[in-house]
Amino acid sequence: GQQLNQSPQSMFIQEGEDVSMNCTSSSIFNTWLWYKQEPGEGPVLLIALYKAGELTSNGRLTAQFGITRKDSFLNISASIPSDVGIYFCAGRRAGSYQLTFGKGTKLSVIP
Amino acid sequence: GAGVSQSPSNKVTEKGKDVELRCDPISGHTALYWYRQRLGQGLEFLIYFQGNSAPDKSGLPSDRFSAERTGESVSTLTIQRTQQEDSAVYLCASSFLREITGELFFGEGSRLTVL
């Protein structure tokens, strides 16, 4: 099925730095979700967005639902070593129960 | 249980053998999904169950793949005559869908290796 365009594919950052990643799509989505996956585990939901323009924070994480409804970004402030993992965006179209996932952004944090 | 439970966590099989993967969703969750995740890739939708409605099988890659779910309980994903390209992590997720805003809760996955 269709996949979202997620970038960057991977990031190596110093502890304490801020991180930004985004997803874009040619289709309009009604819901954007951001998940984090650690090795050997399933994805865990970080933030859910349901309205165009919505900006939501969860601790050091902030995500926004793009005004065009075709994009979303996730920011992580003051990164720490436990932020390492793969971050996936996922979108759901109106009237659909399916989630379309991006290919993920692999984050590495150098202490 | 507290979360989505999948078994086995790891399965190594020979090409041509059949495998069965099991998923126990979160109690009360009406929707159940199977996804496939190849190494370094995103999640690929396979199949969706919602209550007693007919499942959406549109993501199954071939007729070697099938899945069943009885009511709102356990689901099994069966892969017949496995091929090496079937090697992947198979993730199950469940959700309580009253409207289409339910968030998916994932299990830890079943890692399948076909030799």
Side-chain angles (χ1 to χ4, degrees):
Chain A
Q2 177 188 357
Q3 290 216 326
L4 300 175
N5 297 313
Q6 185 171 351
S7 65
Q9 191 173 2
S10 63
M11 302 180 76
F12 289 83
I13 61 166
Q14 292 282 345
E15 182 177 358
E17 287 185 352
D18 297 343
V19 172
S20 185
M21 59 191 79
N22 69 84
C23 271
T24 60
S25 170
S26 56
S27 303
I28 288 175
F29 287 103
N30 268 29
T31 301
W32 283 95
L33 305 173
W34 284 92
Y35 285 85
K36 179 187 178 186
Q37 185 177 30
E38 297 187 14
E41 298 185 7
V44 175
L45 183 68
L46 298 174
I47 292 181
L49 302 160
Y50 299 111
K51 283 186 188 177
E54 180 180 359
L55 184 72
T56 297
S57 292
N58 178 8
R60 294 178 295 106
L61 277 61
T62 301
Q64 183 155 29
F65 192 142
I67 198 72
T68 65
R69 295 161 68 190
K70 293 182 178 181
D71 64 318
S72 176
F73 71 73
L74 175 70
N75 287 344
I76 305 173
S77 63
S79 58
I80 59 178
S82 62
D83 289 335
V84 300
I86 302 176
Y87 292 78
F88 290 100
C89 62
R92 179 183 280 126
R93 294 185 186 81
S96 173
Y97 44 77
Q98 281 197 36
L99 280 182
T100 302
F101 280 83
K103 291 192 174 183
T105 295
K106 185 174 181 179
L107 178 64
S108 300
V109 179
I110 303 165
Chain B
V4 177
S5 178
Q6 290 188 246
S7 61
S9 54
N10 276 288
K11 176 73 176 179
V12 180
T13 191
E14 292 179 349
K15 178 180 171 181
K17 295 279 177 84
D18 297 351
V19 297
E20 215 174 72
L21 309 176
R22 176 187 167 108
C23 174
D24 276 284
I26 294 172
S27 178
H29 278 193
T30 55
L32 187 147
Y33 301 73
W34 283 97
Y35 285 86
R36 178 168 69 178
Q37 185 177 27
R38 290 197 165 112
L39 188 64
Q41 299 293 312
L43 279 68
E44 177 188 359
F45 169 77
L46 296 178
I47 189 169
Y48 161 79
F49 296 91
Q50 166 67 344
N52 293 318
S53 302
D56 177 353
K57 305 179 181 180
S58 62
L60 295 178
S62 77
D63 59 8
R64 296 186 296 104
F65 288 72
S66 63
E68 291 183 352
R69 186 186 188 196
T70 305
E72 296 180 358
S73 61
V74 169
S75 174
T76 55
L77 176 69
T78 301
I79 309 173
Q80 295 178 309
R81 304 181 303 281
T82 51
Q83 304 293 313
Q84 287 182 333
E85 66 260 26
D86 299 335
S87 296
V89 175
Y90 289 83
L91 288 160
C92 176
S94 70
S95 177
F96 181 48
L97 284 181
R98 234 181 320 205
E99 299 176 351
I100 308 177
T101 55
E103 296 140 13
L104 271 59
F105 295 85
F106 284 87
E108 294 187 347
S110 292
R111 180 178 297 278
L112 175 65
T113 304
V114 182
L115 301 176

